[in-house]
Amino acid sequence: MTIRRFLQPHSRNELTAALAEMTADSKVIAGGTDLMLEIRDRDPEIPVLVSLCKVPELKGICVTETAAGQELHIGAMECHADIAASETVRKYASALAESCDHVGSRQVRNRGTIGGSLGNASVAGDMLPVLYLFHASLAVTGPDGTDRMIPVEELPAGIGRTSLAFNEIIKEIVIPVHPERSSCFVKLGGREEVTIAEISLSLSWEMRDGKIAAVEGVMGAVDRVPAVLTEADGILGQGTVGTEECERLFGCLSERIAVIRKNRKRPPKLRIREGEKEFKERAVRGVVYDAVGKMLAKAGMTGPAGA
Ligand SMILES: Cc1cc2nc3c(=O)[nH]c(=O)nc-3n(C[C@H](O)[C@H](O)[C@H](O)COP(=O)(O)OP(=O)(O)OC[C@H]3O[C@@H](n4cnc5c(N)ncnc54)[C@H](O)[C@@H]3O)c2cc1C
């Protein structure tokens, strides 16, 4: 590993100056849970490495009032464990708290940050789909010291790539607060713990006249960008939620995954057997039942028996 210069800013002004020193192959480091693996495996030469760890302005979780309503602000350097434990996040964006609670191991949750998750831009990452669900925006800052806001949908720019310039970072995540809405997150991985998502499903909804309504959903880890489920409300938000609705949603999601698989330009990196190719198309059934079961439990209702 060759790091020519290491900069550790301690304030917003020092951060701006450090970002101005960066060149195209330079890097920022947050918790290092992804970047250190990349450095170990690829042994790149890094002209400038900027640590974000000591910049207080990149930390904090709070709710602010704006003319448009309330907003939940989460600093990019907040780690998964602190987001999962935050009463404020649990209250206003519980799917985000739940997804952070299921990231990797305790060690990864204590070191890994939400900004690093987004900067890593992995298709299997858990943060991006949930932030799509909440229509989040990102405050991005660069070497001129000013912030610009982008919708989270503008961040991904291909596998492992973001639309940010080499000397820009995510400063904070901003989520519009809708106190009347609830949410949940489930994921399916290769094992029970410390598992990368094969499929994730996030749902949000509100209660109207004692019934689940205005359902939104996002499926993660099945495509290059999270799949927004425009069909979710037509199936789950029409007054009755039972086995029939779960099976209909399963059918839609399975079909979407099949289309993504068939349209894939390159074969998957893993050498998988013929019978395993359609794994996600079948496995999404259990994910649907888990997510709907969680939604119904939060709404104080009983759900279908399961897949
Ligand atoms: C064993 C293990 C299990 C894991 N399990 C999961 C899992 O279940 N779910 C999941 O989603 N992820 C998982 N991950 C991935 C990883 O934990 C997350 O992506 C992590 O949160 C990255 O955060 P970090 O602070 O460590 O980022 P770093 O490793 O420091 O940085 C990652 C990348 O983001 C860039 N970056 C860092 N901060 C910013 C910023 N503020 N703005 C812009 N770019 C930035 C860096 O330059 C780098 O390219 C796992 C990783 C490991 C090692």
Side-chain angles (χ1 to χ4, degrees):
M1 156 169 72
T2 311
I3 296 168
R4 296 280 170 221
R5 288 177 69 204
F6 177 70
L7 301 178
Q8 184 150 66
H10 286 73
S11 67
R12 178 70 200 262
N13 284 346
E14 287 183 18
L15 171 66
T16 302
L19 295 177
E21 299 278 328
M22 290 179 75
T23 53
D25 291 332
S26 299
K27 289 274 183 194
V28 296
I29 185 163
T33 60
D34 283 321
L35 190 66
M36 291 311 291
L37 299 182
E38 190 190 325
I39 289 173
R40 183 195 65 187
D41 295 344
R42 292 190 31 240
D43 194 20
E45 179 162 322
I46 301 178
V48 182
L49 183 65
V50 178
S51 166
L52 304 180
C53 294
K54 297 273 165 72
V55 183
E57 289 85 348
L58 300 179
K59 292 270 288 176
I61 297 175
C62 68
V63 172
T64 61
E65 299 281 345
T66 71
Q70 290 183 311
E71 288 176 346
L72 170 60
H73 294 250
I74 302 173
M77 282 302 293
E78 287 296 331
C79 70
H80 300 296
D82 287 349
I83 297 171
S86 161
E87 283 301 322
T88 310
V89 180
R90 297 183 90 81
K91 183 172 175 189
Y92 294 121
S94 60
L96 178 61
E98 288 164 24
S99 67
C100 286
D101 210 18
H102 286 88
V103 167
S105 59
R106 180 173 297 187
Q107 292 90 330
V108 171
R109 290 193 290 277
N110 283 336
R111 276 307 297 176
T113 64
I114 189 166
S117 285
L118 296 173
N120 191 40
S122 161
V123 293
D126 294 325
M127 300 300 106
L128 203 55
V130 183
L131 294 179
Y132 269 52
L133 181 77
F134 289 121
H135 308 284
S137 299
L138 309 175
V140 172
T141 190
D144 65 359
T146 59
D147 293 352
R148 65 183 178 96
M149 299 300 296
I150 60 166
V152 69
E153 294 85 355
E154 287 183 11
L155 184 73
I159 295 171
R161 287 193 300 120
T162 73
S163 60
L164 303 185
F166 65 85
N167 52 8
E168 285 186 317
I169 62 154
I170 298 158
K171 193 187 118 209
E172 67 175 1
I173 292 88
V174 182
I175 295 174
V177 169
H178 297 288
E180 73 285 4
R181 292 188 71 79
S182 307
S183 61
C184 69
F185 169 89
V186 301
K187 79 171 171 184
L188 172 76
R191 46 187 185 215
E192 282 275 309
E193 299 288 333
V194 197
T195 191
I196 302 294
E198 301 273 4
I199 310 170
S200 75
L201 183 55
S202 319
L203 296 174
S204 76
W205 66 92
E206 59 190 67
M207 299 302 289
R208 290 185 194 153
D209 301 325
K211 292 185 174 152
I212 286 169
V215 180
E216 295 187 37
V218 178
M219 181 165 53
V222 295
D223 203 356
R224 286 162 178 255
V225 293
V228 176
L229 307 179
T230 46
E231 56 274 74
D233 190 51
I235 297 172
L236 300 178
Q238 304 305 308
T240 318
V241 184
T243 306
E244 190 187 323
E245 287 71 28
C246 284
E247 289 298 321
R248 278 177 60 206
L249 186 60
F250 158 56
C252 289
L253 302 196
S254 182
E255 179 59 30
R256 283 184 74 159
I257 297 171
V259 170
I260 292 162
R261 179 172 61 80
K262 285 169 194 157
N263 288 343
R264 202 183 278 150
K265 290 197 179 75
R266 278 183 295 172
K269 278 188 193 155
L270 292 174
R271 285 180 56 201
I272 52 176
R273 288 189 294 270
E274 199 56 36
E276 290 170 335
K277 280 188 184 162
E278 290 151 28
F279 158 70
K280 288 193 185 187
E281 282 132 74
R282 295 197 304 273
V284 72
R285 187 167 193 248
V287 177
V288 165
Y289 275 85
D290 281 356
V292 170
K294 211 166 176 182
M295 175 175 81
L296 291 171
K298 285 190 176 197
M301 301 171 172
T302 51

